[in-house]
Amino acid sequence: MPTKSVVVGSAVGLHARPAAIISEAAGELDSEVLIGVPGGDPVDASSALMIMTLGAGKGATVEVSGDDETDVDAIAALVVQDLDA
C-alpha cells in the first residue's frame, strides 16, 4: 500500500475548511485514501469529520496511504498546501 509522509501546511491545521477541501477531493477519487498521524489509526480521507478528529495542527506530520499511488499523491499534495488562505 503506497504511503507518503507529509507535513500539514494549513495555518489552522486539518480543521474545518482544509478538512472539507481534502474530503471532497478524496470522495471524487476511484480508490480509498486514508490519513493518519504516525502511531495512530488512519481515517477515511473522504470524511471531513474523521480528518478533524486527528487533531493534526500546522507542521504536524501525517501519513497518507491508499491502494492507488496517484490518488495518495493527490491528497498528500492538498495536505501540504495552506488551504485556509
Side-chain angles (χ1 to χ4, degrees):
M1 176 178 280
T3 302
K4 191 170 203 172
S5 292
V6 293
V7 176
V8 176
S10 289
V12 295
L14 296 182
H15 198 50
R17 181 178 164 91
I21 293 169
I22 292 167
S23 66
E24 183 177 334
E28 294 174 359
L29 300 174
D30 292 329
S31 69
E32 181 180 50
V33 177
L34 304 174
I35 297 178
V37 293
D41 291 328
V43 300
D44 185 351
S46 66
S47 170
L49 182 59
M50 294 304 293
I51 293 172
M52 289 188 292
T53 66
L54 295 173
K58 179 174 176 61
T61 299
V62 296
E63 295 173 343
V64 181
S65 60
D67 292 329
D68 185 285
E69 190 167 359
T70 302
D71 291 349
V72 168
D73 289 343
I75 298 303
L78 287 174
V79 172
V80 301
Q81 292 180 38
D82 185 358
L83 299 174
D84 213 42

